[in-house]
Amino acid sequence: AQSVTQPDIHITVSEGASLELRCNYSYGATPYLFWYVQSPGQGLQLLLKYFSGDTLVQGIKGFEAEFKRSQSSFNLRKPSVHWSDAAEYFCAVPLMDSSYKLIFGSGTRLLVRP
Amino acid sequence: DAMVIQNPRYQVTQFGKPVTLSCSQTLNHNVMYWYQQKSSQAPKLLFHYYDKDFNNEADTPDNFQSRRPNTSFCFLDIRSPGLGDAAMYLCATGTGLAGEQYFGPGTRLTVT
């Protein structure tokens, strides 16, 4: 069955430190890939997306992600974390038999130490 | 700015008392989605509209209904809310291409 795995439930980093959030997917072909961020009590905001082409994609708020086909991964990175980045992060891919529906990972909660 | 708007942001209802949540969009997207999200979980798709075509997820309870009177508006009706229906309800829109979706700020539903 198709799946998206975010192996880290929680990650804590110090403000100013670098960040990497992991995402692995199972998919029959090269997928479209998304990262969303959700601040407490808010909806999901699209951070970035990969459709094709350059495997390193830039997003909003200084985030980037790299698609690695050989590892079936789409990890999210930020070189220097700000306190306002504390939130829940979801990786998502479209459902193979219904491309306008998304499968979400279980999410990673990011905590930022001052 | 083009956006997805949800009203109200917070809704309190009594056990068994029908409630309606609303969503509107200025993106002119073909697809509108309703998700339920409980604490520390990923959003769970309840149903979606592709234009006027309604698509219900197999495990969505009959207690949940939806209406889309036009492209811009979509409503979620909970006919008889139970305590287990307390959650964040998220509306999203999309073009139907590649799964890309844009979310509203959500409505937090409390059932007393």
Short mmCIF file of all heavy atoms in Angstrom, two decimals, chain A residues 32 34 36 38 41-44 46 49 51 88 90 94 98-102 104-106 109, chain B residues 9 31 33 35 37 41-43 45 48 50 57 88 90 96 98-105:
data_model
loop_
_atom_site.label_atom_id
_atom_site.label_comp_id
_atom_site.label_asym_id
_atom_site.label_seq_id
_atom_site.Cartn_x
_atom_site.Cartn_y
_atom_site.Cartn_z
N TYR A 32 4.87 13.45 -7.16
CA TYR A 32 4.86 14.83 -6.72
C TYR A 32 5.00 14.78 -5.19
O TYR A 32 4.48 13.87 -4.55
CB TYR A 32 3.56 15.52 -7.11
CG TYR A 32 3.28 15.50 -8.59
CD1 TYR A 32 2.08 15.00 -9.08
CD2 TYR A 32 4.21 15.98 -9.50
CE1 TYR A 32 1.81 14.99 -10.43
CE2 TYR A 32 3.95 15.97 -10.85
CZ TYR A 32 2.75 15.46 -11.32
OH TYR A 32 2.48 15.45 -12.65
N PHE A 34 5.19 17.10 -1.39
CA PHE A 34 4.85 18.35 -0.73
C PHE A 34 5.32 18.32 0.73
O PHE A 34 5.33 17.27 1.38
CB PHE A 34 3.32 18.57 -0.72
CG PHE A 34 2.69 18.55 -2.08
CD1 PHE A 34 2.19 17.37 -2.62
CD2 PHE A 34 2.58 19.71 -2.82
CE1 PHE A 34 1.60 17.35 -3.87
CE2 PHE A 34 1.98 19.70 -4.07
CZ PHE A 34 1.49 18.51 -4.59
N TYR A 36 4.14 20.57 4.15
CA TYR A 36 3.25 21.56 4.74
C TYR A 36 3.69 21.83 6.18
O TYR A 36 4.21 20.94 6.86
CB TYR A 36 1.80 21.05 4.78
CG TYR A 36 1.10 21.03 3.44
CD1 TYR A 36 1.19 19.93 2.61
CD2 TYR A 36 0.33 22.11 3.03
CE1 TYR A 36 0.52 19.90 1.38
CE2 TYR A 36 -0.35 22.10 1.81
CZ TYR A 36 -0.24 21.00 1.00
OH TYR A 36 -0.91 20.98 -0.21
N GLN A 38 2.20 23.46 9.93
CA GLN A 38 0.99 23.83 10.67
C GLN A 38 1.37 24.41 12.03
O GLN A 38 1.89 23.68 12.89
CB GLN A 38 0.07 22.62 10.85
CG GLN A 38 -1.26 22.96 11.50
CD GLN A 38 -2.19 21.76 11.60
OE1 GLN A 38 -1.74 20.62 11.76
NE2 GLN A 38 -3.49 21.99 11.51
N GLY A 41 -3.12 25.65 16.25
CA GLY A 41 -4.43 26.25 16.05
C GLY A 41 -4.67 26.82 14.67
O GLY A 41 -5.67 27.52 14.46
N GLN A 42 -3.80 26.51 13.73
CA GLN A 42 -3.92 27.05 12.37
C GLN A 42 -4.10 25.94 11.34
O GLN A 42 -3.97 24.75 11.65
CB GLN A 42 -2.66 27.85 12.03
CG GLN A 42 -2.39 29.02 12.95
CD GLN A 42 -3.46 30.08 12.88
OE1 GLN A 42 -3.95 30.43 11.79
NE2 GLN A 42 -3.88 30.60 14.02
N GLY A 43 -4.39 26.36 10.11
CA GLY A 43 -4.44 25.40 9.02
C GLY A 43 -3.05 25.05 8.51
O GLY A 43 -2.04 25.51 9.06
N LEU A 44 -2.99 24.24 7.47
CA LEU A 44 -1.72 23.85 6.89
C LEU A 44 -1.30 24.86 5.82
O LEU A 44 -2.12 25.29 5.00
CB LEU A 44 -1.82 22.45 6.24
CG LEU A 44 -1.67 21.25 7.17
CD1 LEU A 44 -2.85 21.12 8.11
CD2 LEU A 44 -1.52 19.98 6.35
N LEU A 46 1.41 25.51 2.67
CA LEU A 46 2.33 24.85 1.77
C LEU A 46 3.70 25.50 1.85
O LEU A 46 3.85 26.70 1.59
CB LEU A 46 1.79 24.92 0.34
CG LEU A 46 2.62 24.23 -0.75
CD1 LEU A 46 2.70 22.73 -0.50
CD2 LEU A 46 2.02 24.50 -2.13
N LYS A 49 7.12 22.37 -2.86
CA LYS A 49 6.63 21.23 -3.62
C LYS A 49 7.67 20.82 -4.65
O LYS A 49 8.45 21.65 -5.14
CB LYS A 49 5.32 21.58 -4.32
CG LYS A 49 5.44 22.76 -5.27
CD LYS A 49 4.10 23.26 -5.73
CE LYS A 49 4.26 24.49 -6.63
NZ LYS A 49 2.97 25.13 -6.96
N PHE A 51 7.72 18.81 -8.31
CA PHE A 51 6.97 18.20 -9.40
C PHE A 51 7.91 17.49 -10.37
O PHE A 51 7.66 16.36 -10.78
CB PHE A 51 6.15 19.26 -10.16
CG PHE A 51 4.90 19.68 -9.43
CD1 PHE A 51 4.08 20.68 -9.94
CD2 PHE A 51 4.51 19.11 -8.22
CE1 PHE A 51 2.92 21.08 -9.28
CE2 PHE A 51 3.36 19.50 -7.55
CZ PHE A 51 2.57 20.50 -8.09
N GLU A 88 4.17 21.96 13.55
CA GLU A 88 4.07 20.58 13.07
C GLU A 88 4.33 20.61 11.58
O GLU A 88 3.81 21.48 10.86
CB GLU A 88 2.67 20.02 13.35
CG GLU A 88 2.50 18.55 13.05
CD GLU A 88 2.75 17.67 14.27
OE1 GLU A 88 2.64 18.17 15.38
OE2 GLU A 88 3.04 16.47 14.07
N PHE A 90 4.27 18.38 7.96
CA PHE A 90 3.71 17.21 7.30
C PHE A 90 4.28 17.08 5.90
O PHE A 90 4.28 18.04 5.12
CB PHE A 90 2.19 17.31 7.21
CG PHE A 90 1.47 17.24 8.52
CD1 PHE A 90 1.07 18.40 9.17
CD2 PHE A 90 1.19 16.01 9.11
CE1 PHE A 90 0.40 18.34 10.38
CE2 PHE A 90 0.53 15.94 10.32
CZ PHE A 90 0.13 17.10 10.96
N PRO A 94 0.56 12.66 -3.57
CA PRO A 94 -0.77 12.35 -4.09
C PRO A 94 -1.01 10.85 -4.09
O PRO A 94 -0.10 10.05 -4.28
CB PRO A 94 -0.73 12.89 -5.52
CG PRO A 94 0.46 13.77 -5.58
CD PRO A 94 1.43 13.24 -4.58
N SER A 98 -5.78 8.45 -7.47
CA SER A 98 -6.62 9.65 -7.43
C SER A 98 -5.71 10.83 -7.11
O SER A 98 -5.58 11.23 -5.97
CB SER A 98 -7.70 9.52 -6.36
OG SER A 98 -8.46 10.71 -6.27
N SER A 99 -5.10 11.36 -8.15
CA SER A 99 -3.97 12.27 -7.92
C SER A 99 -4.35 13.56 -7.24
O SER A 99 -3.47 14.30 -6.82
CB SER A 99 -3.28 12.57 -9.24
OG SER A 99 -4.18 13.26 -10.10
N TYR A 100 -5.64 13.86 -7.11
CA TYR A 100 -5.97 15.08 -6.40
C TYR A 100 -6.29 14.83 -4.93
O TYR A 100 -6.76 15.72 -4.25
CB TYR A 100 -7.08 15.85 -7.10
CG TYR A 100 -8.27 15.03 -7.50
CD1 TYR A 100 -9.32 14.83 -6.63
CD2 TYR A 100 -8.36 14.47 -8.76
CE1 TYR A 100 -10.42 14.09 -6.99
CE2 TYR A 100 -9.45 13.73 -9.14
CZ TYR A 100 -10.49 13.53 -8.24
OH TYR A 100 -11.58 12.79 -8.60
N LYS A 101 -6.03 13.64 -4.43
CA LYS A 101 -6.09 13.38 -3.00
C LYS A 101 -4.68 13.14 -2.50
O LYS A 101 -3.83 12.58 -3.20
CB LYS A 101 -6.98 12.18 -2.71
CG LYS A 101 -8.44 12.44 -3.05
CD LYS A 101 -9.38 11.49 -2.34
CE LYS A 101 -9.37 10.12 -2.92
NZ LYS A 101 -10.43 9.26 -2.34
N LEU A 102 -4.42 13.58 -1.28
CA LEU A 102 -3.09 13.48 -0.69
C LEU A 102 -3.03 12.42 0.40
O LEU A 102 -4.00 12.23 1.14
CB LEU A 102 -2.67 14.81 -0.07
CG LEU A 102 -2.37 15.97 -1.02
CD1 LEU A 102 -2.11 17.24 -0.23
CD2 LEU A 102 -1.18 15.65 -1.91
N PHE A 104 -0.87 11.91 3.74
CA PHE A 104 0.00 12.65 4.63
C PHE A 104 0.83 11.70 5.48
O PHE A 104 0.36 10.62 5.87
CB PHE A 104 -0.81 13.54 5.58
CG PHE A 104 -1.44 14.74 4.91
CD1 PHE A 104 -2.73 14.66 4.41
CD2 PHE A 104 -0.76 15.92 4.80
CE1 PHE A 104 -3.32 15.75 3.79
CE2 PHE A 104 -1.34 17.03 4.18
CZ PHE A 104 -2.62 16.93 3.68
N GLY A 105 2.05 12.11 5.79
CA GLY A 105 2.78 11.45 6.85
C GLY A 105 2.16 11.80 8.19
O GLY A 105 1.26 12.64 8.28
N SER A 106 2.64 11.16 9.23
CA SER A 106 2.06 11.35 10.56
C SER A 106 2.49 12.65 11.21
O SER A 106 1.97 13.03 12.25
CB SER A 106 2.40 10.17 11.46
OG SER A 106 3.80 9.98 11.48
N ARG A 109 6.73 17.07 14.99
CA ARG A 109 6.59 18.31 15.77
C ARG A 109 7.98 18.87 16.07
O ARG A 109 8.81 18.17 16.64
CB ARG A 109 5.84 18.06 17.07
CG ARG A 109 5.68 19.32 17.91
CD ARG A 109 4.65 19.19 19.00
NE ARG A 109 3.31 18.98 18.46
CZ ARG A 109 2.52 19.94 18.01
NH1 ARG A 109 2.93 21.20 18.03
NH2 ARG A 109 1.33 19.67 17.56
N ARG B 9 -14.17 30.48 13.30
CA ARG B 9 -12.89 29.85 13.67
C ARG B 9 -13.06 28.92 14.86
O ARG B 9 -12.35 27.93 14.99
CB ARG B 9 -11.87 30.93 14.02
CG ARG B 9 -11.46 31.80 12.83
CD ARG B 9 -10.68 31.01 11.76
NE ARG B 9 -9.65 30.17 12.34
CZ ARG B 9 -8.45 30.60 12.70
NH1 ARG B 9 -8.14 31.87 12.54
NH2 ARG B 9 -7.58 29.76 13.22
N VAL B 31 -11.69 21.94 -7.01
CA VAL B 31 -11.85 20.93 -5.96
C VAL B 31 -11.88 21.60 -4.59
O VAL B 31 -11.09 22.51 -4.32
CB VAL B 31 -10.70 19.89 -5.99
CG1 VAL B 31 -11.06 18.69 -5.13
CG2 VAL B 31 -10.40 19.44 -7.41
N TYR B 33 -12.16 20.39 -0.43
CA TYR B 33 -12.01 19.24 0.47
C TYR B 33 -12.41 19.62 1.89
O TYR B 33 -12.21 20.76 2.31
CB TYR B 33 -10.53 18.82 0.54
CG TYR B 33 -9.82 18.57 -0.76
CD1 TYR B 33 -9.29 19.63 -1.50
CD2 TYR B 33 -9.61 17.27 -1.23
CE1 TYR B 33 -8.60 19.40 -2.68
CE2 TYR B 33 -8.92 17.04 -2.41
CZ TYR B 33 -8.41 18.10 -3.12
OH TYR B 33 -7.72 17.88 -4.29
N TYR B 35 -11.50 18.11 5.74
CA TYR B 35 -10.70 17.22 6.55
C TYR B 35 -11.10 17.37 8.02
O TYR B 35 -11.47 18.44 8.47
CB TYR B 35 -9.21 17.58 6.47
CG TYR B 35 -8.52 17.30 5.16
CD1 TYR B 35 -8.53 18.24 4.13
CD2 TYR B 35 -7.83 16.11 4.97
CE1 TYR B 35 -7.86 17.98 2.94
CE2 TYR B 35 -7.15 15.85 3.79
CZ TYR B 35 -7.18 16.80 2.78
OH TYR B 35 -6.51 16.54 1.61
N GLN B 37 -9.24 16.85 11.73
CA GLN B 37 -7.92 16.65 12.33
C GLN B 37 -8.04 16.65 13.84
O GLN B 37 -8.49 17.63 14.44
CB GLN B 37 -6.94 17.75 11.89
CG GLN B 37 -5.52 17.50 12.37
CD GLN B 37 -4.56 18.58 11.98
OE1 GLN B 37 -4.93 19.74 11.84
NE2 GLN B 37 -3.30 18.23 11.77
N GLN B 41 -2.44 14.50 15.17
CA GLN B 41 -2.63 13.57 14.05
C GLN B 41 -2.61 14.32 12.73
O GLN B 41 -2.80 15.54 12.68
CB GLN B 41 -3.96 12.83 14.19
CG GLN B 41 -4.04 11.94 15.42
CD GLN B 41 -5.36 11.19 15.50
OE1 GLN B 41 -6.07 11.04 14.50
NE2 GLN B 41 -5.69 10.71 16.67
N ALA B 42 -2.40 13.58 11.67
CA ALA B 42 -2.49 14.15 10.34
C ALA B 42 -3.96 14.41 9.99
O ALA B 42 -4.86 13.77 10.55
CB ALA B 42 -1.88 13.21 9.32
N PRO B 43 -4.22 15.32 9.09
CA PRO B 43 -5.61 15.53 8.66
C PRO B 43 -6.17 14.27 8.01
O PRO B 43 -5.45 13.55 7.30
CB PRO B 43 -5.49 16.65 7.62
CG PRO B 43 -4.19 17.30 7.89
CD PRO B 43 -3.29 16.24 8.43
N LEU B 45 -9.14 12.94 5.48
CA LEU B 45 -10.08 13.40 4.47
C LEU B 45 -11.46 12.82 4.74
O LEU B 45 -11.61 11.59 4.89
CB LEU B 45 -9.60 13.01 3.08
CG LEU B 45 -10.44 13.49 1.90
CD1 LEU B 45 -10.46 15.02 1.82
CD2 LEU B 45 -9.93 12.90 0.59
N HIS B 48 -14.73 15.20 -0.67
CA HIS B 48 -14.35 16.32 -1.50
C HIS B 48 -15.34 16.46 -2.64
O HIS B 48 -16.07 15.53 -2.99
CB HIS B 48 -12.93 16.17 -2.03
CG HIS B 48 -12.76 15.12 -3.08
ND1 HIS B 48 -12.58 13.78 -2.80
CD2 HIS B 48 -12.75 15.22 -4.43
CE1 HIS B 48 -12.46 13.10 -3.91
NE2 HIS B 48 -12.56 13.93 -4.92
N TYR B 50 -15.38 17.61 -6.66
CA TYR B 50 -14.70 18.01 -7.88
C TYR B 50 -15.77 18.68 -8.72
O TYR B 50 -16.63 18.00 -9.29
CB TYR B 50 -14.08 16.82 -8.61
CG TYR B 50 -13.05 17.23 -9.63
CD1 TYR B 50 -11.74 16.85 -9.50
CD2 TYR B 50 -13.41 18.01 -10.73
CE1 TYR B 50 -10.78 17.23 -10.43
CE2 TYR B 50 -12.46 18.40 -11.65
CZ TYR B 50 -11.15 18.01 -11.50
OH TYR B 50 -10.21 18.40 -12.42
N GLU B 57 -15.45 9.69 1.35
CA GLU B 57 -14.52 8.64 1.74
C GLU B 57 -15.30 7.48 2.36
O GLU B 57 -16.32 7.69 3.03
CB GLU B 57 -13.48 9.17 2.73
CG GLU B 57 -12.55 10.21 2.13
CD GLU B 57 -11.78 9.68 0.94
OE1 GLU B 57 -10.98 8.74 1.10
OE2 GLU B 57 -11.98 10.23 -0.17
N MET B 88 -10.48 19.70 14.97
CA MET B 88 -10.27 20.81 14.03
C MET B 88 -10.78 20.35 12.68
O MET B 88 -10.45 19.23 12.25
CB MET B 88 -8.79 21.17 13.95
CG MET B 88 -8.46 22.21 12.91
SD MET B 88 -8.94 23.87 13.41
CE MET B 88 -7.39 24.39 14.20
N LEU B 90 -10.75 21.22 8.74
CA LEU B 90 -9.99 21.99 7.76
C LEU B 90 -10.64 21.89 6.40
O LEU B 90 -10.98 20.80 5.94
CB LEU B 90 -8.56 21.46 7.67
CG LEU B 90 -7.73 21.57 8.94
CD1 LEU B 90 -6.47 20.71 8.82
CD2 LEU B 90 -7.35 23.01 9.22
N GLY B 96 -7.03 20.15 -8.75
CA GLY B 96 -7.22 18.79 -9.22
C GLY B 96 -5.99 18.23 -9.92
O GLY B 96 -5.99 17.09 -10.37
N ALA B 98 -2.10 17.12 -9.61
CA ALA B 98 -0.91 16.80 -8.81
C ALA B 98 -1.13 16.86 -7.31
O ALA B 98 -0.17 16.84 -6.56
CB ALA B 98 0.24 17.73 -9.18
N GLY B 99 -2.35 16.95 -6.86
CA GLY B 99 -2.62 16.89 -5.42
C GLY B 99 -2.38 18.16 -4.64
O GLY B 99 -2.63 18.21 -3.45
N GLU B 100 -1.89 19.22 -5.31
CA GLU B 100 -1.58 20.45 -4.59
C GLU B 100 -2.84 21.04 -3.98
O GLU B 100 -3.84 21.22 -4.67
CB GLU B 100 -0.94 21.45 -5.54
CG GLU B 100 -0.43 22.71 -4.87
CD GLU B 100 0.40 23.55 -5.82
OE1 GLU B 100 0.69 23.08 -6.93
OE2 GLU B 100 0.75 24.68 -5.45
N GLN B 101 -2.78 21.36 -2.68
CA GLN B 101 -3.95 21.85 -1.97
C GLN B 101 -3.58 23.07 -1.13
O GLN B 101 -2.46 23.18 -0.63
CB GLN B 101 -4.53 20.76 -1.06
CG GLN B 101 -5.05 19.57 -1.84
CD GLN B 101 -5.60 18.47 -0.97
OE1 GLN B 101 -6.00 18.69 0.17
NE2 GLN B 101 -5.65 17.27 -1.52
N TYR B 102 -4.57 23.92 -0.96
CA TYR B 102 -4.41 25.14 -0.17
C TYR B 102 -5.47 25.11 0.93
O TYR B 102 -6.66 24.95 0.65
CB TYR B 102 -4.55 26.38 -1.06
CG TYR B 102 -3.44 26.45 -2.07
CD1 TYR B 102 -3.56 25.80 -3.30
CD2 TYR B 102 -2.25 27.11 -1.79
CE1 TYR B 102 -2.52 25.83 -4.22
CE2 TYR B 102 -1.22 27.15 -2.70
CZ TYR B 102 -1.36 26.51 -3.91
OH TYR B 102 -0.34 26.53 -4.82
N PHE B 103 -5.00 25.30 2.15
CA PHE B 103 -5.85 25.11 3.31
C PHE B 103 -6.33 26.42 3.90
O PHE B 103 -5.62 27.43 3.88
CB PHE B 103 -5.09 24.33 4.39
CG PHE B 103 -4.94 22.87 4.09
CD1 PHE B 103 -3.97 22.43 3.20
CD2 PHE B 103 -5.78 21.94 4.67
CE1 PHE B 103 -3.84 21.08 2.91
CE2 PHE B 103 -5.65 20.59 4.39
CZ PHE B 103 -4.68 20.16 3.51
N GLY B 104 -7.53 26.37 4.47
CA GLY B 104 -8.01 27.46 5.30
C GLY B 104 -7.45 27.35 6.71
O GLY B 104 -6.76 26.39 7.04
N PRO B 105 -7.80 28.32 7.57
CA PRO B 105 -7.25 28.34 8.93
C PRO B 105 -7.90 27.33 9.87
O PRO B 105 -7.38 27.10 10.97
CB PRO B 105 -7.55 29.76 9.40
CG PRO B 105 -8.74 30.16 8.61
CD PRO B 105 -8.61 29.50 7.28
#
